[in-house]
Amino acid sequence: MPPRPRPSLAAALAAALVAALLVLLPGSTTAQAAPVLLSQGRPATASSTEGAGTPASAAVDGDNGTRWSSQFADPQWIQVDLGATAQLSQVVLRWETAHARAYRIELSTDGSNWTTAHSTTAGTGGVQTLDITGTARHVRVYGTERATAWGYSLWEFQVYGTTGTGPTLPGGGDLGPNVIVFDPSTPGIQARLDQVFQQQESAQFGSGRYQFLFKPGTYNGLNAQIGFYTSISGLGLSPDDTTINGDVTVDAGWFNGNATQNFWRSAENLALNPVNGTDRWAVSQAAPFRRMHVKGGLNLAPNGYGWASGGYIADSKIDGQVGNYSQQQWYTRDSSIGGWSNGVWNQVFSGTQGAPAQGFPNPPYTTLDTTPVSREKPFLYLDGSEYKVFVPAKRVNARGTSWGNGTAPQGSSIPLSQFYVVRPGASAATINQAVTQGLHLLFTPGVYHVDRTIQVNRPGTVVLGLGLATIVPDNGVTAMKVGDVDGVRLAGFLIDAGPVNSPSLLEIGPAGTTTDHAADPTTVQDVFIRVGGAGPGRATVGMVVNNHDTIVDHTWIWRADHGDGVGWETNRSDYGFRVNGDDVLATGLFVEHFNKYDVQWNGERGRTIFFQNEKAYDAPNQAAIQNGSIKGYAAYQVADSVDVHEGWGLGSYCYYNVDPTIRQEHGFQAPVRPGVRFHDLLVVSLGGNGQYEHVINGTGAPTSGTSTVPSTIVSFP
């Protein structure tokens, strides 16, 4: 696959400026409408077409792989009917090679009488973002001079503006009964924490969802035990604004001291002074520990040192030592720690001050000095008495926390008044109306069934969940799709497959896009995907990333191996995570149990820092997983067409408990060429239930026996 062309510097700067302006809407007490995409899917006509395969409609279908092209003559035009008069603000033209040197953007209210909103005789082709003003229902690109011998050809013709019609959804408002807000004077805090924990401690597939929010200040003598679907956060701009003299605890008493099922919970933006000097956070997948300051040590093991299968720390400061103990794997990013002890199979660090030195496989430490690109998760905070969402800035080659040292955090703030506060019972149509209207989305704790896809097509849109808000697609739809736009932030929610097969559960960008988003990428953070467990669920693919430059920062994409609705065909899902975009970075990638490939990477220059995988437990026999002549599907496959790819700290485990005689050819599969490189790979047979014959391709020693000793490769090729 050849490198994709990059836009001009001017175009990139213009795109970044537009995205920034869309995010940084002025604060007010009422919702402010923002420009939205009005032209997609609307009727389009043209003066001519080159052939049946390049109709006018192809330029407004949202697909960068289809196009309109005209006959080879001047002049030519294409126009779109927006369906209603709108206040227009921007036109984006995505030209194919056959572009216009001279053209006009023309506006009309009736489709007959036209006025000029923009004119040029020096069109450069590529992606051109044009700011315009005017009121119109019809918009036309009128070409008067071609830049090539061919006709005029547009991949996409996008018109942005506001309609100002129909009822306006309000921004801001009450966060609902399952967002529980404390200040230091609130009576009965411990009793309320205990009440929710008793309900949620073992409710692994229950419907309860809770968010605890602590206003800035100091809280004494608390032990916040955190159960399933429970999040605890401080409301300061810095973790040190909200101090708990006490603990935020996860243990595994509910599961007889085994922490391997302590999923779906989180702690963020707090400072802790643990009672005995060490806080306990014994978790496994989907349990992020973000933006925390522990003024002591942190114990990642359950009481009794039973198994745990975590986990993830980011943007946090632990003054004392982190005790890993029985944790099979862990990833720590852009943090500061006082030390690290132990390690079972796979401990990965990037941008972490105080991290242990590189030592894989013995000790099992993979250590990168910096993280290539990162941007912290958006979070809710209080500015005086006003709720806002802080949107952190992108960091390049980051090391250490984004906060502290007396410096103000880098990023921007969005008032809650510019969010549609989504409450249980909201329909997908209403949610989409809110985005179209120009609002961001804040999902309050709850379970949301959607009968159509949530479309996030506006640059800079923030979609933030509280309390592991859960979206369930009905009737086989894709739960959420992000458009080919800059700067979307998805964070803090769970997508749970419905009983009717969905082609995918989350899609980032349309297929075939060529747009560069490096200046302001989409980020996907603490967004979790589940197929089965809470009931029968089916999806062909869990998450698909088409947009270039996307950052996927901590996800768990899980085809359930236990719970309700679980079986080889009952919760069928062939692929977990598929990357088609170029320059995609995954930091903290957990993908497990899919029927075929857990990860398929088709884009160029992809990078993964930390990968954890288990192959599907429930394969009935060898034939069920046979991949042509290959025994089993790799956990992580890089397409043969890829020239450049790199991964650090990747592990795959097998536990074929239905048929322990199954043989897995390898955990990893990739083309052998200089640009495709892996560092610190391992495969493990759990108790001898199935075995790997190699680590990657035909390289690496086979696993054997029941001792769970990994087979490792330090460098490939």
Side-chain angles (χ1 to χ4, degrees):
M1 180 184 297
R4 72 183 194 275
R6 300 277 180 166
S8 68
L9 177 61
L13 291 173
L17 178 59
V18 169
L21 290 173
L22 289 170
V23 172
L24 297 173
L25 299 171
S28 69
T29 57
T30 59
Q32 299 292 313
V36 296
L37 180 59
L38 302 174
S39 53
Q40 188 162 306
R42 300 301 307 169
T45 55
S47 54
S48 68
T49 59
E50 182 180 357
T54 57
S57 60
V60 293
D61 63 0
D63 185 345
N64 286 321
T66 62
R67 63 187 175 94
W68 163 73
S69 62
S70 75
Q71 295 179 357
F72 302 175
D74 295 313
Q76 301 287 339
W77 53 263
I78 181 173
Q79 69 185 58
V80 60
D81 180 354
L82 304 178
T85 300
Q87 296 291 328
L88 305 182
S89 59
Q90 188 182 92
V91 168
V92 178
L93 303 176
R94 302 181 188 277
W95 293 102
E96 198 247 356
T97 302
H99 64 278
R101 178 175 290 114
Y103 66 92
R104 303 189 296 268
I105 303 297
E106 298 182 330
L107 311 180
S108 174
T109 57
D110 58 9
S112 298
N113 300 296
W114 299 90
T115 60
T116 298
H118 175 84
S119 179
T120 184
T121 58
T124 59
V127 179
Q128 294 182 293
T129 301
L130 310 172
D131 293 329
I132 63 170
T133 57
T135 301
R137 171 173 172 168
H138 305 269
V139 183
R140 180 166 75 177
V141 181
Y142 195 95
T144 57
E145 182 185 353
R146 291 166 289 144
T148 71
W150 303 293
Y152 299 85
S153 182
L154 282 166
W155 295 109
E156 281 294 296
F157 169 26
Q158 297 175 313
V159 180
Y160 290 85
T162 56
T163 61
T165 61
T168 300
L169 292 170
D174 184 73
L175 299 178
N178 285 11
V179 176
I180 302 163
V181 183
F182 301 122
D183 66 45
S185 65
T186 302
I189 296 176
Q190 186 65 58
R192 188 70 172 110
L193 293 169
D194 291 345
Q195 178 189 20
V196 171
F197 177 67
Q198 289 165 11
Q199 176 182 318
Q200 298 300 115
E201 179 183 12
S202 59
Q204 183 172 179
F205 298 109
S207 59
R209 303 287 187 273
Y210 292 91
Q211 174 76 56
F212 292 120
L213 296 176
F214 284 75
K215 293 182 180 180
T218 301
Y219 300 78
N220 295 313
L222 297 181
N223 181 18
Q225 299 181 83
I226 305 301
F228 285 100
Y229 312 110
T230 305
S231 297
I232 184 170
S233 306
L235 285 170
L237 196 55
S238 165
D240 289 329
D241 293 339
T242 310
T243 298
I244 293 177
N245 291 319
D247 295 87
V248 171
T249 302
V250 177
D251 206 342
W254 74 277
F255 202 49
N256 300 315
N258 183 335
T260 58
Q261 293 183 24
N262 280 351
F263 313 139
W264 302 306
R265 63 200 74 197
S266 67
E268 300 183 47
N269 204 31
L270 292 164
L272 306 178
N273 280 305
V275 169
N276 68 356
T278 300
D279 191 62
R280 185 185 301 277
W281 186 255
V283 299
S284 289
Q285 291 83 359
F289 197 79
R290 285 186 182 269
R291 202 176 172 80
M292 295 287 287
H293 185 187
V294 180
K295 299 178 180 180
L298 185 65
N299 185 343
L300 303 179
N303 187 27
Y305 302 98
W307 282 112
S309 185
Y312 178 88
I313 292 171
D315 201 27
S316 293
K317 187 175 190 293
I318 294 92
D319 293 347
Q321 181 168 271
V322 179
N324 180 267
Y325 303 115
S326 55
Q327 283 285 356
Q328 295 166 336
Q329 66 278 315
W330 199 278
Y331 175 51
T332 305
R333 178 182 64 72
D334 297 353
S335 294
S336 173
I337 59 177
W340 190 276
S341 70
N342 303 86
V344 180
W345 295 326
N346 196 30
Q347 316 291 311
V348 180
F349 308 84
S350 68
T352 299
Q353 297 167 339
Q358 171 74 30
F360 187 89
N362 185 25
Y365 300 146
T366 299
T367 302
L368 286 74
D369 189 58
T370 62
T371 304
V373 185
S374 56
R375 185 164 57 188
E376 300 305 330
K377 177 183 173 184
F379 61 92
L380 192 67
Y381 78 103
L382 277 173
D383 184 2
S385 61
E386 183 182 9
Y387 282 109
K388 294 181 178 179
V389 171
F390 190 78
V391 184
K394 187 179 76 171
R395 305 170 75 194
V396 177
N397 295 323
R399 181 170 172 82
T401 64
S402 69
W403 53 272
N405 302 317
T407 59
Q410 299 298 301
S412 58
S413 293
I414 307 173
L416 188 64
S417 61
Q418 293 174 15
F419 281 79
Y420 178 62
V421 178
V422 191
R423 301 178 183 88
S427 68
T430 300
I431 295 168
N432 284 336
Q433 179 189 343
V435 176
T436 299
Q437 186 179 303
L439 295 171
H440 305 274
L441 299 175
L442 181 72
F443 280 85
T444 62
V447 178
Y448 299 83
H449 283 263
V450 295
D451 61 355
R452 67 190 69 178
T453 300
I454 297 172
Q455 302 278 358
V456 185
N457 289 324
R458 183 169 53 83
T461 301
V462 176
V463 181
L464 178 62
L466 300 178
L468 276 294
T470 302
I471 302 169
V472 183
D474 294 331
N475 305 318
V477 302
T478 296
M480 184 179 293
K481 292 184 178 182
V482 174
D484 189 9
V485 296
D486 278 353
V488 170
R489 320 290 180 93
L490 308 183
F493 56 89
L494 168 66
I495 297 176
D496 202 354
V500 179
N501 187 75
S502 295
S504 62
L505 296 174
L506 174 63
E507 291 187 16
I508 310 299
T513 175
T514 59
T515 308
D516 186 286
H517 296 291
D520 192 10
T522 286
T523 51
V524 183
Q525 300 177 284
D526 301 347
V527 174
F528 309 123
I529 305 288
R530 182 170 68 192
V531 183
R538 296 173 66 90
T540 304
V541 191
M543 184 189 303
V544 180
V545 179
N546 293 316
N547 275 356
H548 302 312
D549 310 293
T550 300
I551 301 170
V552 179
D553 176 43
H554 190 227
T555 186
W556 186 36
I557 305 172
W558 186 62
R559 176 182 167 267
D561 61 275
H562 63 274
D564 294 331
V566 172
W568 184 249
E569 296 295 343
T570 305
N571 62 327
R572 182 87 193 187
S573 190
D574 284 349
Y575 310 104
F577 182 62
R578 179 180 291 159
V579 179
N580 299 319
D582 295 341
D583 301 292
V584 172
L585 171 66
T587 51
L589 179 62
F590 299 73
V591 189
E592 298 189 296
H593 306 150
F594 287 84
N595 295 77
K596 293 185 179 179
Y597 292 115
D598 298 279
V599 171
Q600 289 180 299
W601 208 296
N602 303 315
E604 282 289 355
R605 297 177 297 279
R607 292 175 291 182
T608 296
I609 304 173
F610 179 90
F611 170 67
Q612 185 266 331
N613 165 264
E614 285 179 342
K615 294 303 298 174
Y617 291 0
D618 55 348
N621 49 51
Q622 187 76 47
I625 64 165
Q626 193 68 17
N627 181 15
S629 62
I630 299 173
K631 298 174 184 176
Y633 291 82
Y636 189 110
Q637 182 215 31
V638 179
D640 288 342
S641 60
V642 170
D643 290 320
V644 178
H645 188 90
E646 195 160 11
W648 296 262
L650 283 66
S652 176
Y653 323 144
C654 72
Y655 182 70
Y656 289 116
N657 61 349
V658 175
D659 181 0
T661 69
I662 288 176
R663 307 288 294 184
Q664 178 79 24
E665 181 82 14
H666 43 227
F668 304 90
Q669 180 181 343
V672 180
R673 51 178 58 107
V676 178
R677 297 177 293 171
F678 288 93
H679 315 274
D680 301 356
L681 299 176
L682 66 96
V683 294
V684 179
S685 169
L686 301 180
N689 290 275
Q691 300 290 346
Y692 291 91
E693 297 188 347
H694 304 284
V695 179
I696 181 168
N697 298 351
T699 302
T703 59
S704 63
T706 61
S707 61
T708 64
V709 174
S711 178
T712 62
I713 285 182
V714 173
S715 181
F716 180 87

